[in-house]
PDB file of all heavy atoms in Angstrom:
ATOM      1  N   LEU A 180      27.246  -5.168 -21.004  1.00 91.00           N
ATOM      2  CA  LEU A 180      28.410  -4.316 -21.291  1.00 91.00           C
ATOM      3  C   LEU A 180      29.556  -5.409 -21.600  1.00 91.00           C
ATOM      4  O   LEU A 180      30.387  -5.070 -22.500  1.00 91.00           O
ATOM      5  CB  LEU A 180      28.795  -3.534 -19.985  1.00 91.00           C
ATOM      6  CG  LEU A 180      29.563  -2.250 -20.164  1.00 91.00           C
ATOM      7  CD1 LEU A 180      28.902  -1.278 -21.264  1.00 91.00           C
ATOM      8  CD2 LEU A 180      29.780  -1.529 -18.930  1.00 91.00           C
ATOM      9  N   ASN A 183      28.953  -6.864 -25.017  1.00 89.00           N
ATOM     10  CA  ASN A 183      28.775  -5.966 -26.156  1.00 89.00           C
ATOM     11  C   ASN A 183      27.432  -5.931 -26.676  1.00 89.00           C
ATOM     12  O   ASN A 183      27.206  -5.836 -27.863  1.00 89.00           O
ATOM     13  CB  ASN A 183      29.842  -6.182 -27.224  1.00 89.00           C
ATOM     14  CG  ASN A 183      31.242  -5.840 -26.837  1.00 89.00           C
ATOM     15  OD1 ASN A 183      31.460  -4.858 -25.951  1.00 89.00           O
ATOM     16  ND2 ASN A 183      32.224  -6.470 -27.304  1.00 89.00           N
ATOM     17  N   PHE A 185      24.565  -3.874 -27.025  1.00 93.00           N
ATOM     18  CA  PHE A 185      24.188  -2.503 -26.788  1.00 93.00           C
ATOM     19  C   PHE A 185      22.745  -2.263 -26.738  1.00 93.00           C
ATOM     20  O   PHE A 185      22.268  -1.452 -25.870  1.00 93.00           O
ATOM     21  CB  PHE A 185      24.736  -1.715 -28.014  1.00 93.00           C
ATOM     22  CG  PHE A 185      24.345  -0.213 -27.946  1.00 93.00           C
ATOM     23  CD1 PHE A 185      24.905   0.708 -26.895  1.00 93.00           C
ATOM     24  CD2 PHE A 185      23.467   0.332 -28.789  1.00 93.00           C
ATOM     25  CE1 PHE A 185      24.557   1.932 -26.835  1.00 93.00           C
ATOM     26  CE2 PHE A 185      23.037   1.769 -28.703  1.00 93.00           C
ATOM     27  CZ  PHE A 185      23.635   2.547 -27.671  1.00 93.00           C
ATOM     28  N   PHE A 188      21.619  -3.181 -23.429  1.00 96.00           N
ATOM     29  CA  PHE A 188      22.100  -2.215 -22.455  1.00 96.00           C
ATOM     30  C   PHE A 188      21.156  -1.006 -22.369  1.00 96.00           C
ATOM     31  O   PHE A 188      20.881  -0.715 -21.251  1.00 96.00           O
ATOM     32  CB  PHE A 188      23.508  -1.751 -22.878  1.00 96.00           C
ATOM     33  CG  PHE A 188      24.178  -0.670 -21.927  1.00 96.00           C
ATOM     34  CD1 PHE A 188      24.904  -1.402 -20.776  1.00 96.00           C
ATOM     35  CD2 PHE A 188      24.135   0.447 -22.086  1.00 96.00           C
ATOM     36  CE1 PHE A 188      25.482  -0.540 -19.785  1.00 96.00           C
ATOM     37  CE2 PHE A 188      24.670   1.388 -21.123  1.00 96.00           C
ATOM     38  CZ  PHE A 188      25.465   0.864 -20.064  1.00 96.00           C
ATOM     39  N   ILE A 189      20.786  -0.491 -23.517  1.00 96.00           N
ATOM     40  CA  ILE A 189      19.922   0.709 -23.414  1.00 96.00           C
ATOM     41  C   ILE A 189      18.487   0.376 -22.977  1.00 96.00           C
ATOM     42  O   ILE A 189      17.737   1.102 -22.307  1.00 96.00           O
ATOM     43  CB  ILE A 189      19.827   1.399 -24.617  1.00 96.00           C
ATOM     44  CG1 ILE A 189      19.540   0.651 -25.831  1.00 96.00           C
ATOM     45  CG2 ILE A 189      21.155   2.061 -24.848  1.00 96.00           C
ATOM     46  CD1 ILE A 189      19.373   1.488 -27.164  1.00 96.00           C
ATOM     47  N   LEU A 192      18.700   0.338 -19.241  1.00 97.00           N
ATOM     48  CA  LEU A 192      18.608   1.755 -18.810  1.00 97.00           C
ATOM     49  C   LEU A 192      17.260   2.265 -18.626  1.00 97.00           C
ATOM     50  O   LEU A 192      16.895   2.917 -17.616  1.00 97.00           O
ATOM     51  CB  LEU A 192      19.564   2.671 -19.503  1.00 97.00           C
ATOM     52  CG  LEU A 192      21.034   2.543 -19.486  1.00 97.00           C
ATOM     53  CD1 LEU A 192      21.644   3.553 -20.467  1.00 97.00           C
ATOM     54  CD2 LEU A 192      21.541   3.024 -18.031  1.00 97.00           C
ATOM     55  N   ILE A 218      23.403   7.983 -24.370  1.00 96.00           N
ATOM     56  CA  ILE A 218      24.036   6.718 -24.917  1.00 96.00           C
ATOM     57  C   ILE A 218      23.430   6.380 -26.244  1.00 96.00           C
ATOM     58  O   ILE A 218      24.148   5.754 -26.991  1.00 96.00           O
ATOM     59  CB  ILE A 218      24.136   5.692 -23.729  1.00 96.00           C
ATOM     60  CG1 ILE A 218      25.008   6.208 -22.554  1.00 96.00           C
ATOM     61  CG2 ILE A 218      24.805   4.370 -24.373  1.00 96.00           C
ATOM     62  CD1 ILE A 218      25.091   5.202 -21.406  1.00 96.00           C
ATOM     63  N   GLY A 219      22.183   6.578 -26.302  1.00 96.00           N
ATOM     64  CA  GLY A 219      21.517   6.298 -27.573  1.00 96.00           C
ATOM     65  C   GLY A 219      22.239   7.057 -28.718  1.00 96.00           C
ATOM     66  O   GLY A 219      22.345   6.437 -29.924  1.00 96.00           O
ATOM     67  N   ASN A 221      25.235   8.055 -28.548  1.00 95.00           N
ATOM     68  CA  ASN A 221      26.634   7.873 -28.634  1.00 95.00           C
ATOM     69  C   ASN A 221      26.901   6.277 -28.164  1.00 95.00           C
ATOM     70  O   ASN A 221      27.400   5.971 -27.044  1.00 95.00           O
ATOM     71  CB  ASN A 221      27.342   8.644 -27.468  1.00 95.00           C
ATOM     72  CG  ASN A 221      27.312  10.155 -27.965  1.00 95.00           C
ATOM     73  OD1 ASN A 221      28.081  10.581 -28.785  1.00 95.00           O
ATOM     74  ND2 ASN A 221      26.359  10.906 -27.443  1.00 95.00           N
ATOM     75  N   PRO A 222      26.599   5.421 -29.001  1.00 93.00           N
ATOM     76  CA  PRO A 222      26.732   3.958 -28.820  1.00 93.00           C
ATOM     77  C   PRO A 222      28.033   3.534 -28.305  1.00 93.00           C
ATOM     78  O   PRO A 222      29.074   4.004 -28.847  1.00 93.00           O
ATOM     79  CB  PRO A 222      26.359   3.342 -30.137  1.00 93.00           C
ATOM     80  CG  PRO A 222      25.603   4.379 -30.843  1.00 93.00           C
ATOM     81  CD  PRO A 222      26.157   5.660 -30.393  1.00 93.00           C
ATOM     82  N   ILE A 223      27.998   2.750 -27.201  1.00 87.00           N
ATOM     83  CA  ILE A 223      29.251   2.228 -26.646  1.00 87.00           C
ATOM     84  C   ILE A 223      29.934   1.395 -27.749  1.00 87.00           C
ATOM     85  O   ILE A 223      31.102   1.311 -28.000  1.00 87.00           O
ATOM     86  CB  ILE A 223      28.984   1.421 -25.272  1.00 87.00           C
ATOM     87  CG1 ILE A 223      28.284   2.384 -24.402  1.00 87.00           C
ATOM     88  CG2 ILE A 223      30.312   0.865 -24.847  1.00 87.00           C
ATOM     89  CD1 ILE A 223      27.806   1.674 -23.118  1.00 87.00           C
ATOM     90  N   VAL A 224      29.167   0.547 -28.253  1.00 85.00           N
ATOM     91  CA  VAL A 224      29.580  -0.535 -29.299  1.00 85.00           C
ATOM     92  C   VAL A 224      28.350  -0.899 -30.150  1.00 85.00           C
ATOM     93  O   VAL A 224      27.255  -1.062 -29.584  1.00 85.00           O
ATOM     94  CB  VAL A 224      30.319  -1.772 -28.748  1.00 85.00           C
ATOM     95  CG1 VAL A 224      29.324  -2.436 -27.904  1.00 85.00           C
ATOM     96  CG2 VAL A 224      30.817  -2.637 -29.823  1.00 85.00           C
ATOM     97  N   MET A 225      28.584  -0.988 -31.569  1.00 84.00           N
ATOM     98  CA  MET A 225      27.441  -1.358 -32.256  1.00 84.00           C
ATOM     99  C   MET A 225      28.053  -1.804 -33.670  1.00 84.00           C
ATOM    100  O   MET A 225      28.908  -1.138 -34.313  1.00 84.00           O
ATOM    101  CB  MET A 225      26.433  -0.093 -32.563  1.00 84.00           C
ATOM    102  CG  MET A 225      25.292  -0.614 -33.314  1.00 84.00           C
ATOM    103  SD  MET A 225      24.283   0.792 -33.738  1.00 84.00           S
ATOM    104  CE  MET A 225      23.524   1.179 -32.107  1.00 84.00           C
ATOM    105  N   SER A 267      28.117   9.559 -17.637  1.00 93.00           N
ATOM    106  CA  SER A 267      28.110   8.514 -18.688  1.00 93.00           C
ATOM    107  C   SER A 267      29.427   8.121 -19.206  1.00 93.00           C
ATOM    108  O   SER A 267      29.451   7.242 -20.045  1.00 93.00           O
ATOM    109  CB  SER A 267      27.141   8.898 -19.832  1.00 93.00           C
ATOM    110  OG  SER A 267      25.836   9.083 -19.398  1.00 93.00           O
ATOM    111  N   ILE A 269      31.408   9.512 -21.701  1.00 90.00           N
ATOM    112  CA  ILE A 269      31.536   9.366 -23.045  1.00 90.00           C
ATOM    113  C   ILE A 269      33.059   9.667 -23.577  1.00 90.00           C
ATOM    114  O   ILE A 269      33.407  10.804 -23.501  1.00 90.00           O
ATOM    115  CB  ILE A 269      30.473  10.362 -23.813  1.00 90.00           C
ATOM    116  CG1 ILE A 269      29.062  10.121 -23.263  1.00 90.00           C
ATOM    117  CG2 ILE A 269      30.660  10.240 -25.295  1.00 90.00           C
ATOM    118  CD1 ILE A 269      28.491   8.842 -23.538  1.00 90.00           C
ATOM    119  N   THR A 273      30.056  10.218 -30.594  1.00 94.00           N
ATOM    120  CA  THR A 273      29.546  10.187 -32.000  1.00 94.00           C
ATOM    121  C   THR A 273      28.953  11.538 -32.329  1.00 94.00           C
ATOM    122  O   THR A 273      29.142  12.105 -33.395  1.00 94.00           O
ATOM    123  CB  THR A 273      28.597   8.945 -32.149  1.00 94.00           C
ATOM    124  OG1 THR A 273      29.242   7.699 -31.979  1.00 94.00           O
ATOM    125  CG2 THR A 273      28.166   8.921 -33.690  1.00 94.00           C
ATOM    126  N   LYS A 307      30.310   6.573 -40.202  1.00 83.00           N
ATOM    127  CA  LYS A 307      30.959   5.880 -39.144  1.00 83.00           C
ATOM    128  C   LYS A 307      30.763   4.358 -39.358  1.00 83.00           C
ATOM    129  O   LYS A 307      31.664   3.454 -39.056  1.00 83.00           O
ATOM    130  CB  LYS A 307      30.444   6.270 -37.802  1.00 83.00           C
ATOM    131  CG  LYS A 307      31.043   5.564 -36.572  1.00 83.00           C
ATOM    132  CD  LYS A 307      30.579   6.100 -35.369  1.00 83.00           C
ATOM    133  CE  LYS A 307      31.265   5.302 -34.206  1.00 83.00           C
ATOM    134  NZ  LYS A 307      30.862   5.930 -32.863  1.00 83.00           N
ATOM    135  N   TYR A 308      29.524   4.086 -39.792  1.00 78.00           N
ATOM    136  CA  TYR A 308      29.236   2.570 -40.116  1.00 78.00           C
ATOM    137  C   TYR A 308      29.361   2.093 -41.531  1.00 78.00           C
ATOM    138  O   TYR A 308      28.773   1.139 -41.936  1.00 78.00           O
ATOM    139  CB  TYR A 308      27.867   2.268 -39.558  1.00 78.00           C
ATOM    140  CG  TYR A 308      27.809   2.445 -38.040  1.00 78.00           C
ATOM    141  CD1 TYR A 308      27.279   3.538 -37.483  1.00 78.00           C
ATOM    142  CD2 TYR A 308      28.285   1.360 -37.353  1.00 78.00           C
ATOM    143  CE1 TYR A 308      27.341   3.613 -36.124  1.00 78.00           C
ATOM    144  CE2 TYR A 308      28.270   1.481 -35.897  1.00 78.00           C
ATOM    145  CZ  TYR A 308      27.788   2.635 -35.293  1.00 78.00           C
ATOM    146  OH  TYR A 308      27.808   2.671 -33.972  1.00 78.00           O
TER     147      TYR A 308
END
Side-chain angles (χ1 to χ4, degrees):
L180 207 55
N183 291 332
F185 177 69
F188 185 83
I189 58 175
L192 281 178
I218 294 179
N221 295 278
I223 301 167
V224 60
M225 185 186 291
S267 300
I269 306 296
T273 301
K307 182 175 181 178
Y308 291 101

